[in-house]
Amino acid sequence: MPNPKLPHANEYRALGNALRSLRETAGMTQVQAAEQVGIRSKFVSEVERGNRGLRWHTLRGLLRAYGAGLRDLAAAIETAER
């Protein structure tokens, strides 16, 4: 369940869904993604569920790990919001 105290919860949920999609397309687990970026797998899980935001450098690290760019993320967000 999304964190009700998190501002813009719908946007965080769409971002999380998009990142999950990109991770799965890359064939990675949350643990593998976290290890590549240097964060905890629980953090990846919380972001993907829309319960947590993330900083720019962490977002870029995840995208690099997934072999994706900002355009890929934007397209995945568009799909997630439908």
Side-chain angles (χ1 to χ4, degrees):
M1 167 157 284
N3 183 345
K5 295 181 182 179
L6 191 64
H8 312 290
N10 290 336
E11 287 85 1
Y12 280 103
R13 197 170 0 211
L15 175 61
N17 288 337
L19 287 170
R20 179 184 303 112
S21 175
L22 292 173
R23 176 181 56 76
E24 290 172 348
T25 298
M28 297 179 75
T29 66
Q30 291 178 343
V31 172
Q32 291 169 327
E35 287 174 352
Q36 282 200 17
V37 179
I39 57 178
R40 294 179 18 212
S41 60
K42 182 178 179 185
F43 181 87
V44 175
S45 174
E46 290 173 348
V47 168
E48 288 185 359
R49 286 181 290 145
N51 291 337
R52 181 172 198 144
L54 69 165
R55 294 177 186 243
W56 174 247
H57 67 276
T58 306
L59 174 62
R60 293 290 293 160
L62 288 170
L63 290 176
R64 276 192 293 274
Y66 303 156
L70 292 174
R71 289 176 197 242
D72 301 312
L73 178 62
I77 289 172
E78 288 291 321
T79 300
E81 290 182 329
R82 290 184 196 159

